[in-house]
Amino acid sequence: MRRCCGVWLVALLAVGAFGSPARAQISVILDATGDGKGHTLKGAMGPAVDARGNVYAVGMFSDNVFRVAPSGEVRQILDGSGDGLGNRLVKPRDLAVDARGNVYVVGQDSRNVFKVTPAGKISQIFAHSEKGEQRHRFIRPTRITTGGQGNVYVSGQNSNNVFRITPAGEITEIIDVAGDGQGHELRRPNGLAADAKGNLYVVGAKTRNAFKVTPSGEITQILDGTGAGEGQKLVFPNGVAVDGAGNVYVIGNNSGNLLRIAPDGKIVQLMGKEVDGVPLSGCSAVAVTPEGTVFLARFGRHSAWRVARDGSLTKILDVSGAGDGKFVKAARGVAVDAKGRVYVAGLGSHNVFRIVPPPAGAARWGEKKPEGVKTPEDAPGPGAEEKPEDAPASG
């Protein structure tokens, strides 16, 4: 092992279904020491990755944002002072990056959004306001994403709405608690994703549904609590992603499942709540490649998983993390880059992992677990009883 820029770099770890021989390259690229210059990381969330391979993560409890370059150099790019003009960043919950490398950060308790350019210029581009012409109810914002034409989308979890911010600074509320206006409400938006055509997808955790919002403003409910039908319900959806073909993927935190909605509206459950007797609840984040390989993080079970296009399910990260004591606790976010490398944020372990997954099909559920062999799924590890801040105990 060697230490570089405040990060421990670790070698290979064998991970797979029930201890199978699949191998993933796992390393910690950011840990609690932050940049190693006194700027620490506490409560890692995100992550996000740009076209150049830079990885970004927020410190939810340290009120800051870090960038990890491909070289391994770590730099703090935003802290609690915000833009330095009195607009502070308090409890950042999520971040996103656009095609030009601009980073957007949402502050949950400061109720605002910051933009950080590649050159390091910081500006507040949106904030909650109860007065004047720019009145925007923006309460407990927790999700942010970018889309076509340079637009930024951000949701207010407790104000039950989503705003679009254009590059010119025009702000529009594109969906609110009324949902589609036909009786299907949106409450507690807990996930956002945008496709190449400018459509936005948003999930309502409390209302157990998902909506599509077109660039023209047409709103359609594309998924409800019945899920894929035949008992495959959706309970407390906690994330959404869209692939290059327009397939939409929604995870149910409490239902422990993964659903895919095709462009023609067909709904299929790709992963259920239990596989070979192992519960898969606590799905906290989802990401997908353009080709349709899905990655998801599981909060309470401190792990990350891949669902291949052929339906095979592989565990690519468990509670042991990168080994040598560099464990993951409360896996809270997941991202995938253009090379297929996966990034997972450990909220409770204050770190970010880079994972090069094993080849698809190298490890699959369905292999019989040897009797008497304990896996991290049997012993969830530190903090297993914790639940995402967004999720209720049930329902």
Side-chain angles (χ1 to χ4, degrees), residues 14-15 21 54 61 66 77 86 108 115 119 130-131 154 166 197 206 235 237 246 263 266 279 285 341 367 372 377 395:
V15 177
N54 296 299
F61 304 120
F66 291 94
I77 61 171
Q108 174 187 292
K115 175 182 178 180
E130 296 280 3
K131 300 178 181 179
V154 62
T166 69
K197 296 180 179 180
K206 228 175 172 181
V235 184
K266 182 181 180 180
R341 297 173 298 190
E367 297 176 355
E377 291 305 306

Side-chain angles (χ1 to χ4, degrees), residues 208-351:
R208 304 182 180 188
N209 54 2
F211 294 92
K212 175 181 177 180
V213 185
T214 68
S216 65
E218 181 183 355
I219 301 172
T220 307
Q221 179 179 265
I222 60 172
L223 181 67
D224 63 20
T226 62
E230 299 182 353
Q232 300 172 343
K233 296 181 179 180
L234 176 69
V235 184
F236 209 91
N238 210 33
V240 61
V242 58
D243 68 18
N247 296 296
V248 180
Y249 303 82
V250 176
I251 53 170
N253 181 81
N254 289 26
S255 47
N257 54 355
L258 170 67
L259 302 171
R260 181 182 65 205
I261 306 108
D264 63 4
K266 182 181 180 180
I267 301 170
V268 177
Q269 178 170 280
L270 300 180
M271 183 192 77
K273 186 171 184 176
E274 187 174 287
V275 180
D276 286 356
V278 177
L280 293 176
S281 60
C283 299
S284 54
V286 62
V288 64
T289 67
E291 297 77 26
T293 298
V294 184
F295 298 92
L296 55 94
R298 293 179 56 213
F299 183 90
R301 290 281 175 167
H302 320 293
S303 56
W305 301 75
R306 176 183 63 198
V307 183
R309 295 176 64 190
D310 65 2
S312 60
L313 182 64
T314 307
K315 181 169 56 183
I316 60 172
L317 180 71
D318 64 25
V319 68
S320 64
D324 197 29
K326 300 297 179 182
F327 63 89
V328 60
K329 180 179 178 182
R332 195 62 181 86
V334 63
V336 58
D337 68 17
K339 295 182 179 180
R341 297 173 298 190
V342 183
Y343 303 87
V344 176
L347 176 66
S349 47
H350 318 297
N351 50 11

